[in-house]
C-alpha cells in the first residue's frame, strides 16, 4: 500500500466511525437485544471497519492498472 491508499482507507474509517455512531444515536436499538446497535462502542467500531473496507475497495477500483 502506498501513502495515497492509506489516506483513502483512513478517511473511510473516520467516515465509518461517524456513520456508525450516528446510526446508534438516531436509529439504535431500544430493547437492547441487538448485538451491534445496542451499545455506541459496538456500533461505532463496526461502522469504522465497514467504512475502511468500503473506501479501500473503492480505491482499488479506481486505481490505474499498469499495462
Amino acid at each position: 500500500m502506498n501513502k495515497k491508499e492509506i489516506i483513502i482507507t483512513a478517511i473511510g474509517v473516520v467516515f465509518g466511525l461517524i456513520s456508525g455512531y450516528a446510526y446508534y444515536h438516531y436509529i439504535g436499538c431500544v430493547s437492547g437485544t441487538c448485538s451491534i446497535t445496542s451499545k455506541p462502542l459496538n456500533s461505532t467500531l463496526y461502522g469504522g471497519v465497514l467504512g475502511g473496507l468500503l473506501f479501500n475497495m473503492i480505491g482499488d477500483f479506481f486505481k490505474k492498472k499498469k499495462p
Side-chain angles (χ1 to χ4, degrees):
M1 288 183 77
N2 60 19
K3 189 175 180 180
K4 184 177 179 181
E5 292 173 346
I6 293 172
I7 290 172
I8 290 173
T9 304
I11 291 170
V13 169
V14 171
F15 179 76
L17 291 172
I18 294 169
S19 299
Y21 184 77
Y23 184 84
Y24 162 78
H25 183 70
Y26 292 112
I27 298 170
C29 182
V30 178
S31 65
T33 58
C34 309
S35 60
I36 294 174
T37 60
S38 63
K39 297 179 184 175
L41 180 64
N42 294 347
S43 181
T44 304
L45 291 177
Y46 188 74
V49 168
L50 288 180
L53 290 172
L54 179 68
F55 274 56
N56 191 0
M57 185 175 64
I58 290 172
D60 287 344
F61 180 75
F62 288 114
K63 184 194 281 188
K64 292 182 180 178
K65 296 183 180 181
K66 296 179 182 177

